[in-house]
Amino acid sequence: MDVDFLLIGQGLAGTVLSYRLIKDGHSVMVIDEPKANNSSRVAAGLYNPVTGRKMVKTWNADLLFPEIEPLYEELEKELGASFLHKMPIYRPFLNIEEQNEWMGNSEDEKFKIYLKQIQITPLHKKVENDFGGVVLANSGYLDINTLLDCYSKFLIEKNSLLEDYFDENQLIIQEDRIHYKELTARGVIYCNGLGTMKSEFFKFLPFAPVKGEILDLEQDFHPKEIINRGVFRISLPNGLVRVGSTYSWHDLDQGPTERAKNELFERLDHLVKIKAKKLVNHKTGIRPATKDRRPMLGKHPDHESVYVFNGFGAKGVSLVPYYSKMMVDLLINNNQPHNDVNISRFFKYI
């Protein structure tokens, strides 16, 4: 079977990139091993324009955020499913100084598009928010599992999904074609998260895997906003509450840990005044983060037909829509990605 591109991995990166390629008229085959560790399936899926302890605008927000909702809305329409949940995010202020700073930010043009309101009095009696907080716009979360499941069916209908283990030893690279078992293609793209670390082609890339754990709880508080300060708290359509996330670089080979569970409960107790009633689910995943916290896009320095689209870490929902367009431009027009995400920044380590 001959296709234009072979994509390894149908997580969020492989899903969105293959969709853009198909939409542009190119044929693909996605190879995905459903039982492999897939960080996309345990990710919370938040997209949040203001992040961090200092509440700063997220990196490249003005480029990223115009692409997020239109792309996922288009996929909803294509797949006949609902998985994009637009929700404001409420970030309580810790002190009067933060309140004053954000009153000033509200008049700054570079912030206005991301602000719904500045709250100088408590928004919720059940939240620790004595100094009020900022209500963010252009935010929400993506139900990534529903997207991946629906998109798998979409690929199957197009005979574009091979659910199997990818054996790189069977990949044959020629000057202008690649061969894999019965498949031939113009190029192969590694979108398989941490699986790329095992590749002989990309072992020079500085992945920095990060473990994240999230909880699903029963709790009698269901605001219309995502509450986010020290921990995020999302009211889900099924009546549960999702809380996360932890970041660990040390216990990557363990499953859910008591330490992370206790940490999340403690942070939640400092954010919401009502105790959780019951722990329903405790999930963990390993994020394909990078040492410089930037995605990794590009072409292998020695093989014209071998590419990588990877390293999106915890912010994949925000990053993938914009950078998938850049990746398509590389694949089709050979236009290089921006320097800050191009894998050429690591060629000196080969």
Side-chain angles (χ1 to χ4, degrees):
M1 182 179 180
D2 187 59
V3 296
D4 291 322
F5 297 102
L6 181 65
L7 285 80
I8 313 305
Q10 196 238 311
L12 187 62
T15 290
V16 173
L17 180 59
S18 63
Y19 174 71
R20 288 207 186 276
L21 288 167
I22 291 170
K23 187 178 69 170
D24 284 354
H26 306 286
S27 58
V28 306
M29 178 61 71
V30 179
I31 300 178
D32 186 70
E33 186 180 7
K35 293 184 180 180
N37 173 63
N38 189 329
S39 61
S40 294
R41 287 197 172 274
V42 295
L46 260 67
Y47 58 103
N48 178 4
V50 174
T51 59
R53 294 178 181 177
K54 296 183 179 180
M55 293 210 301
V56 296
K57 192 162 66 171
T58 192
W59 174 72
N60 272 353
D62 296 338
L63 295 175
L64 303 176
F65 277 74
E67 302 290 340
I68 296 172
E69 291 181 351
L71 183 277
Y72 295 125
E73 287 172 336
E74 182 179 324
L75 274 164
E76 283 186 320
K77 184 176 180 180
E78 178 69 49
L79 302 175
S82 176
F83 37 78
L84 179 67
H85 299 269
K86 302 178 185 179
M87 297 178 71
I89 292 177
Y90 180 52
R91 302 227 5 168
F93 297 135
L94 296 181
N95 48 53
I96 195 67
E97 288 78 16
E98 277 192 353
Q99 183 190 99
N100 291 336
E101 181 180 353
W102 278 89
M103 289 294 289
N105 287 341
S106 67
E107 300 302 318
D108 190 331
E109 289 297 326
K110 70 176 183 286
F111 277 100
K112 277 187 176 181
I113 189 174
Y114 306 113
L115 300 182
K116 186 173 182 180
Q117 71 185 76
I118 302 295
Q119 188 76 22
I120 61 173
T121 57
L123 182 65
H124 292 291
K125 293 180 180 179
K126 298 176 181 179
V127 174
E128 297 289 353
N129 63 147
D130 291 346
F131 301 97
V134 56
V135 182
L136 302 171
N138 290 301
S139 58
Y141 75 96
L142 186 72
D143 180 349
I144 301 177
N145 279 306
T146 298
L147 166 59
L148 298 185
D149 290 341
C150 292
Y151 191 73
S152 292
K153 296 176 183 176
F154 171 82
L155 288 175
I156 290 170
E157 290 174 359
K158 292 183 173 295
N159 194 28
S160 295
L161 179 63
L162 175 61
E163 293 185 316
D164 194 13
Y165 167 74
F166 173 66
D167 181 3
E168 187 175 82
N169 293 323
Q170 298 195 49
L171 189 66
I172 300 171
I173 309 296
Q174 296 181 334
E175 185 175 346
D176 59 350
R177 303 295 291 175
I178 65 101
H179 300 266
Y180 181 76
K181 297 183 178 179
E182 304 299 320
L183 296 166
T184 60
R186 289 165 50 187
V188 57
I189 309 144
Y190 284 75
C191 310
N192 54 333
L194 296 177
T196 300
M197 294 178 65
K198 302 175 184 178
S199 169
E200 285 299 313
F201 298 108
F202 295 112
K203 59 186 178 182
F204 66 91
L205 292 178
F207 281 95
V210 181
K211 182 178 181 180
E213 302 188 43
I214 59 176
L215 310 176
D216 288 347
L217 310 168
E218 291 180 0
Q219 190 177 38
D220 291 333
F221 178 48
H222 299 283
K224 62 182 180 181
E225 304 88 4
I226 297 168
I227 312 297
N228 188 348
R229 193 68 199 242
V231 67
F232 67 76
R233 183 194 181 281
I234 307 171
S235 298
L236 300 174
N238 62 5
L240 297 179
V241 170
R242 181 157 294 161
V243 178
S245 172
T246 59
Y247 295 82
S248 174
W249 291 264
H250 307 297
D251 57 350
L252 302 182
D253 58 343
Q254 299 181 34
T257 63
E258 193 73 12
R259 177 197 57 77
K261 184 188 76 172
N262 293 338
E263 177 184 335
L264 290 173
F265 270 111
E266 183 178 351
R267 291 185 184 182
L268 181 63
D269 286 344
H270 283 93
L271 183 65
V272 177
K273 298 175 183 178
I274 299 176
K275 292 287 185 181
K277 294 165 60 177
K278 181 181 179 182
L279 173 62
V280 177
N281 204 352
H282 183 177
K283 296 185 287 187
T284 181
I286 311 297
R287 309 178 184 101
T290 61
K291 287 187 177 179
D292 64 359
R293 300 185 180 182
R294 300 289 182 261
M296 298 186 293
L297 288 64
K299 183 190 300 183
H300 191 278
D302 300 322
H303 300 285
E304 286 289 315
S305 55
V306 180
Y307 302 84
V308 67
F309 183 66
N310 213 317
F312 295 98
K315 296 183 179 179
V317 168
S318 303
L319 295 166
V320 167
Y322 176 77
Y323 286 108
S324 59
K325 294 178 69 174
M326 190 176 292
M327 190 68 196
V328 169
D329 198 26
L330 169 64
L331 293 168
I332 306 306
N333 303 313
N334 202 32
N335 289 329
Q336 289 296 313
H338 295 167
N339 290 337
D340 55 354
V341 298
N342 197 319
I343 62 167
S344 62
R345 70 194 192 271
F346 304 123
F347 287 172
K348 61 186 176 183
Y349 301 118
I350 297 178

